[in-house]
Amino acid sequence: MIKIKINASDEIREVTFSRHSEHVIELGGITDAPTTGFTTWRMDGVTQLGDFSDYTTVYRTLDNAVQLSDDGSVYVEPEVPDTPVPGEPQPTQEERIKALEDQNETLLQCILEMSEIVYA
């Protein structure tokens, strides 16, 4: 954990800090990004560690963290191809049906085991 002091404010917050690339850092434990930049401090609140005033662009927002960039870049979700990859073998209709039957059998076994536990 470290402390950050948000620029243009007296607000100080405790976060986890990690660098993901040359231009992207992550602040954990917060969900609202300090888009005015910030400085990092030791937990004693006296010793300044770094100046991240250029990290003002929200690169990506995660469940309990934000990633910021200093070059204006933002995260773009990779596209999932709708079509199969050429050269990759595709299951036949019979293979897909068999796989679904196997899943159904497994689910049925789970339900039976759970009912035995509940009604034991």
Side-chain angles (χ1 to χ4, degrees):
M1 298 280 292
I2 63 168
K3 289 186 178 185
I4 62 169
K5 181 181 180 295
I6 299 172
N7 293 350
S9 164
D10 289 330
E11 184 178 2
I12 296 176
R13 302 178 78 183
E14 291 183 10
V15 300
T16 60
F17 178 94
S18 59
R19 182 176 290 279
H20 284 265
S21 71
E22 181 181 351
H23 296 285
V24 177
I25 57 97
E26 180 175 311
L27 300 176
I30 62 173
T31 55
D32 55 324
T35 57
T36 57
F38 60 95
T39 52
T40 55
W41 299 79
R42 288 185 185 239
M43 291 303 287
D44 64 12
V46 177
T47 309
Q48 183 174 341
L49 299 172
D51 184 352
F52 293 86
S53 295
D54 294 337
Y55 286 80
T56 57
T57 303
V58 176
Y59 180 77
R60 178 167 58 163
T61 302
L62 304 169
D63 285 338
N64 193 27
V66 293
Q67 294 178 341
L68 300 164
S69 70
D70 67 346
D71 63 354
S73 61
V74 294
Y75 179 78
V76 177
E77 279 287 332
E79 283 191 33
V80 178
D82 292 339
T83 58
V85 177
E88 205 173 279
Q90 298 299 310
T92 64
Q93 186 73 8
E94 291 80 22
E95 291 171 332
R96 286 191 291 247
I97 291 171
K98 174 72 171 122
L100 288 172
E101 288 172 347
D102 292 345
Q103 286 177 350
N104 284 343
E105 187 173 319
T106 302
L107 289 172
L108 180 59
Q109 288 300 319
C110 289
I111 291 170
L112 289 173
E113 287 180 30
M114 288 175 18
S115 66
E116 287 176 11
I117 293 169
V118 170
Y119 297 112

